[in-house]
Structure formats: structure tokens, C-alpha cells
Amino acid sequence: MSRIAHGVAERPPLLRSVAAAQAALLAAFVVVLALWVGRMAAAGVGPEEMRSGAYDPKDLVPFGLSAANPLTWLYGAVSLLYLAGLAAGPLLAVYSVALLAANRLRTSHRTWRVLLALTVGAVLVAAFRFAPIGMDMHRWWLD
């Protein structure tokens, strides 16, 4: 059976799943980063003061944390994705590099570029997470 049907190359297995997982992990990181920078700017403080515990990220949830509040569930989902990105982000980046190298000719240019951009983003996020300023953000979020 041919790998090309109607002029469109067949996608390798798990390509969409890997891309979706990387996009979700990167989106959660960007949300946490935006909340951290926004909270610092609104309070007029630096990263050192954010670690002190006076600026708790749970205070950003409107109407407080309760099971009846849908924004609490959103906060929980973002927290889980952010924490999962610590381990899954670098692993998915390594797997994505293998997918990119092995399937260059079998995937469309658009799909290949999207996966490449997500992989570069995952590598940059991993580097930021382990930098001192990234550790400050991580401590603030886990407060």
C-alpha cells in the first residue's frame, strides 16, 4: 500500500499527539509566565519579593478557590500542565527531534514547521525553567 494517498503524504504515528501535548505544555508555561510578570508589574516588586509568599498565585483566582468555581478548575488544570512540563517537556522535545529527523520527507512542510517551532519552544522553556529567574517563578507558583 502506498504511503501517499491523493497526493498527500501520510503523517507518522503520534505526530499530532506529540504536537498537541507540546502545545498544551507550552501554553501552560506561557500562562504562568504572564501571571508572574503581570503580578510583579502590578505590585511593583521584583522576583525576590515574589518568592516571599506575600504575592500568592492562588489569590489571582477570582471569587476564591472552591470546587464550585470553574476558574478554580482552570487554575488546577494550568497547574498540572505546568508541573507536567518539568519532566514531559524535555522528553517530548527529544522525541520530537527524532520525529523531525526521521519524517522530514513524509510530512507536509506546514506540519514539520509547526513541530519544529514547538520543539524549539520546549527547549527554550526547559532552559528558562532551570535558570535562576525561572526557579524564582517556579517557587512563586508552587507557593
Side-chain angles (χ1 to χ4, degrees), residues 13-121:
L14 297 177
L15 184 69
R16 285 184 180 172
S17 299
V18 169
Q22 277 190 340
L25 295 176
L26 287 174
F29 178 82
V30 168
V31 166
V32 171
L33 180 65
L35 290 172
W36 185 60
V37 170
R39 182 72 179 214
M40 274 195 304
V45 296
E48 298 82 25
E49 291 88 5
M50 294 292 284
R51 283 188 316 221
S52 69
Y55 304 98
D56 194 8
K58 292 180 275 311
D59 294 340
L60 296 173
V61 179
F63 311 115
L65 292 176
S66 72
N69 185 358
L71 297 174
T72 298
W73 294 96
L74 181 63
Y75 175 83
V78 168
S79 293
L80 287 175
L81 285 171
Y82 174 77
L83 292 175
L86 285 170
L91 293 175
L92 282 173
V94 169
Y95 185 68
S96 295
V97 168
L99 278 176
L100 287 168
N103 299 303
R104 174 69 174 117
L105 299 175
R106 291 191 335 180
T107 59
S108 69
H109 293 296
R110 181 176 179 261
T111 304
W112 195 84
R113 285 187 205 133
V114 167
L115 189 58
L116 178 64
L118 289 170
T119 303
V120 169

